[in-house]
Amino acid sequence: MGIELTQMALNRKIAQKRPLENFFQLAEAAGIHQVELRNDMTTSDGSETVIDGMQVAEFQTLKQKYDLQILTINAIQQFNNPAKLNKNRDLLTKLAELSAQIGNQAIIFVPEVNAQDKRTEQQRLDDAVSSLQVFGDILSAYHLTGFIEPLGFRASTMRYPWTALDAINLSGRTEFKLTIDTFHFFLAHLTAEQFKAGVDINRVGLIHLSGIEPIHALREVVDEDRILITERDIMQNIEQVHLFEAMGYRGHYSFEPFSSRLAAETNQQLTQQILASIERLNQPTAVFSTEVTQP
């Protein structure tokens, strides 16, 4: 058992402050041919930002030059907030139209993170179901998949993958799968036993990877802490990946480190870190801990 390079992808968050072609060059240098694009690399979340405002023909030329497959566009934010439904429906339509032009396969959906949210768990579930029913129509029309990514933050309105599966099941829509993020797995304090009991691995369409080294502040880790996977990683990425593989997952893994520290790294340095991370993920490991604790 081991992750093949053909399963690996890069999320554009790894290439902060870099032009799109520079990101593609990074993927090429690492021998990776799958990428995730984003609509949040600038202050605007408009569809035009996904390809840096370039013409579709120009983008397609770059895509062919570097022999790339577009796995997803990240993301429809606050997908389960009914106040955002109309705005998100319009944005999804634009992203779907762009997807048809550039060959993208899926759209990521993430829940609202809001400590002031007063809805009950049932209200949150009902709102998520209603949103997925609307979004499913758009995805179906454009032959796209929707990937629901639970966020493990304490203030998240959808922390657990089984909650996302409940919403998908209740919506009656077949266009949706899960994205599992090792960072959010860690933040939500999931155990291997909980995951195996609550998640059908065949309904996982993508896994996001990043690493965190020990921190000394008594706080919840945040996106800015996310780097590539080093020997000091505290999130048990290796154990998580072995769990997913043992359950039968054979899909794509995408590196999604958020830290602004990466902007100072050269493509050569990032390439070395990417390849070292893949090598670490394929190392043998002990049995997954029954508790995942934060520093």
Side-chain angles (χ1 to χ4, degrees):
M1 182 176 65
I3 301 176
E4 302 291 337
L5 193 59
T6 54
Q7 291 177 264
M8 301 308 304
L10 293 184
N11 187 291
R12 198 179 176 191
K13 271 294 183 183
I14 199 173
Q16 295 183 42
K17 300 183 180 179
R18 288 171 166 82
L20 194 56
E21 183 166 13
N22 191 270
F23 170 53
F24 287 175
Q25 290 167 346
L26 173 62
E28 180 184 53
I32 291 174
H33 295 280
Q34 291 80 222
V35 296
E36 295 186 274
L37 302 180
R38 302 190 69 97
N39 65 324
D40 62 354
M41 298 298 287
T42 69
T43 55
S44 169
D45 67 355
S47 60
E48 69 281 353
T49 67
V50 174
I51 57 174
D52 288 7
M54 65 179 63
Q55 296 296 311
V56 169
E58 182 184 358
F59 173 84
Q60 290 288 59
T61 298
L62 278 184
K63 176 184 166 186
Q64 293 168 8
K65 177 181 178 180
Y66 295 101
D67 188 23
L68 293 173
Q69 178 183 12
I70 313 301
L71 291 186
T72 77
I73 295 174
N74 284 198
I76 299 294
Q77 306 281 346
Q78 301 174 305
F79 86 88
N80 58 343
N81 182 339
K84 302 286 185 180
L85 180 58
N86 290 337
K87 178 179 182 295
N88 279 333
R89 181 182 56 201
D90 292 343
L91 176 58
L92 177 59
T93 300
K94 292 176 181 177
L95 293 178
E97 291 170 349
L98 177 64
S99 296
Q101 294 175 305
I102 66 174
N104 173 51
Q105 301 175 20
I107 307 290
I108 302 280
F109 293 78
V110 296
E112 182 172 27
V113 178
N114 180 4
Q116 306 306 314
D117 187 283
K118 302 302 182 184
R119 291 176 294 171
T120 66
E121 289 299 317
Q122 185 61 51
Q123 287 171 329
R124 291 175 179 179
L125 180 61
D126 291 343
D127 288 339
V129 169
S130 297
S131 294
L132 295 184
Q133 289 170 337
V134 172
F135 299 146
D137 285 338
I138 300 170
L139 295 173
S140 177
Y142 288 89
H143 307 289
L144 291 168
T145 300
F147 288 157
I148 309 299
E149 182 174 1
L151 302 181
F153 299 115
R154 290 188 182 93
S156 172
T157 57
M158 183 179 282
R159 296 188 76 189
Y160 306 114
W162 43 85
T163 307
L165 283 176
D166 285 344
I168 294 170
N169 291 339
L170 289 168
S171 76
R173 304 301 313 203
T174 60
E175 295 83 9
F176 295 96
K177 286 193 167 187
L178 295 181
T179 291
I180 301 298
D181 188 305
T182 59
F183 171 74
H184 291 292
F185 189 116
F186 171 76
L187 272 184
H189 301 282
L190 303 186
T191 66
E193 290 75 14
Q194 288 174 323
F195 192 83
K196 286 186 287 188
V199 177
D200 177 356
I201 202 67
N202 295 311
R203 300 183 71 182
V204 176
L206 179 67
I207 291 171
H208 279 157
L209 302 167
S210 57
I212 293 179
E213 295 182 337
I215 61 173
H216 302 290
L218 295 177
R219 60 170 174 80
E220 183 177 53
V221 294
V222 295
D223 281 327
E224 176 60 26
D225 297 309
R226 298 170 66 175
I227 56 174
L228 285 157
I229 300 167
T230 75
E231 68 282 355
R232 301 179 65 224
D233 179 51
I234 65 173
M235 295 199 322
Q236 293 188 296
N237 268 284
I238 299 171
E239 289 83 355
Q240 287 193 51
V241 166
H242 280 238
L243 169 65
F244 305 145
E245 292 284 304
M247 290 177 66
Y249 183 75
R250 297 295 182 269
H252 287 104
Y253 293 86
S254 182
F255 287 112
E256 191 192 32
F258 272 65
S259 177
S260 59
R261 292 163 47 189
L262 300 176
E265 305 278 356
T266 66
N267 271 9
Q268 182 178 8
Q269 290 170 321
L270 285 175
T271 297
Q272 292 171 347
Q273 293 173 37
I274 290 165
L275 296 178
S277 296
I278 296 171
E279 185 176 354
R280 284 191 186 93
L281 291 172
N282 282 323
Q283 292 175 353
T285 182
V287 176
F288 195 99
S289 170
T290 56
E291 288 192 20
V292 180
T293 58
Q294 296 185 58

